[in-house]
Amino acid sequence: MERRLIGVNGRWPPPEVHVNLNDTLVINAHNSLDVATSIHAYGLYQNGTNFYDGVPGTTECGIAPNMTYTYIIPVTQTGTFWLQSQYGSQFVDGMRTPLISYAPQEHYQYDSDQVLMLEASYHRGAKDIVNQLMSTVKGVREAFVQPYMLINSVGGADLNKTKISVQSGKTHRLRLINVSAAWMVRFGIEQHSMQIIEIDGIDTEIKETNSVLLSPGQRASVLVTAKNATDHNYIFHADMFTDVGQDGQRTVLPYQGIVEYSPDASLLNYTKVGSSSTVDWEFTQDIDMVPLEKIPAPGVHKWVPLEVSTSTYDDRRMHSAFNNRTYAAPIVPSLLTALSTGYQAYYPDVYGFKTYPVILDPLEDVEVAIFNNDATTHSFHLHGHSFFIIARGTVDKNQNNRIAAGNFPMRRDTIAIPPRGYTIIRFRADNPGAWLLHSQMQFAKEQGLALTFIEAPYRIGANLKNAPADMLENCLTMGIPISGNALGKPGLDLSEDVRGPYPLSGL
């Protein structure tokens, strides 16, 4: 089957990007598509470079067809990240690639370093899938959308198509990146243990495990020490699944590949020798991980409670939302509004109702409590920050299900929240700019599950250089105003600001 994919420099998949700490990553992005595009460096904080965060409607207008935008990003972090388009769902159509940043001296020693990009892909274009999910016809939107697994953009039912090559007796670092639009991934290797050493760009104390859970957007590095004998090859699992709830039910689409010691070795297939799998479904919880850099959690100056729900709205479509408030990008990017409205930049209304703006004071310690009332897992990504994982529990407030972090909570930038579960996170508002918090379940994001943190609006101008000329040129080429409120009008002239749709079940 053939389908249209988005490539880079005449090839697909796009090339991997590898950088070192203190490099400057320069991406000269020329758009040869017939629609706009953008590039987001997933997981990089972009402190002082908010213009290059790559989010149309938040930090830029997008790159117009036949136009160019140069992203200039100082590399101040190390670890496992990825590049993606944030224009619509273009990353689902192939606009994605790993971004690896190396430290001068890694904390853990290993003999090889491999990237495994885990991709639940589709035989259909993302726009077609979004149109189906946003249909007003119940039977159409609820029809199953079948994905298939790719590993580094290769896949299929044939085990031999996806291989991880290892050398006997050597220790291998595997960098796992889930770039899927909606599916969780369970990764593990038969007859091998793994040691988790990094999640979402944060180095951790070693955690032994035989399976790793990755929600969309999440990354993890594991060390695998190969056996000394080379007479067998082994199966690895990269199973896609959804709906891990309190009742333990899940929808699983299994996927297997080969860990190859030798092309001539026999495959030790546990299903054929009558043994049970050594890769289980008891995952290591991120809240139980311990970061190498031990930082105590900040206090609480501002509390942001967010109820997540998906239901039918008065436009007869299914929407996902925080607090029943669906997100839609403004006409003028929120960052340009913050920079052009003077003292009114502190008024939430100026950014538009549907951007769901939350204003943060400079260096304010923010606690966000996310309650997932849906029957499916949600994955959330915060731009501009890593956050502390403070607590997890269930929305029924059963204290027996509550798990609290230790003195030095784990930090990451993407969190998975199971059905009927909640997670409490904290971060410090130390990065002036406009930053999205959104569902990394891309189709839920398209249905409206996002909000905008406007962080230290009076300090944004001092924290950033002038808006890049090529960014403003792209805006004007697409007829988008580069100043004013969300609608491109002066001040609080928002009489035409749209507020609906609204859930049929009530506000």
Side-chain angles (χ1 to χ4, degrees), residues 4-15 30-33 37 39 90 93-96:
R4 186 186 187 200
L5 293 168
I6 302 173
V8 172
N9 298 338
R11 57 174 282 191
W12 190 85
H30 178 77
N31 182 11
S32 298
L33 303 175
T37 190
I39 296 177
Q90 287 179 345
D93 287 329
M95 187 61 177
R96 59 189 183 241

Side-chain angles (χ1 to χ4, degrees), residues 144-149 183 238-242 251-255:
F144 183 61
V145 179
Q146 175 76 45
Y148 58 96
M149 175 57 76
W183 290 75
D239 301 323
M240 299 174 284
F241 69 97
T242 61
T251 299
V252 182
L253 297 177
Y255 183 87

Side-chain angles (χ1 to χ4, degrees), residues 281-295:
W281 290 89
E282 296 298 322
F283 303 112
T284 298
Q285 298 295 316
D286 50 13
I287 196 170
D288 295 327
M289 300 287 294
V290 179
L292 278 182
E293 183 183 11
K294 294 175 173 56
I295 303 173

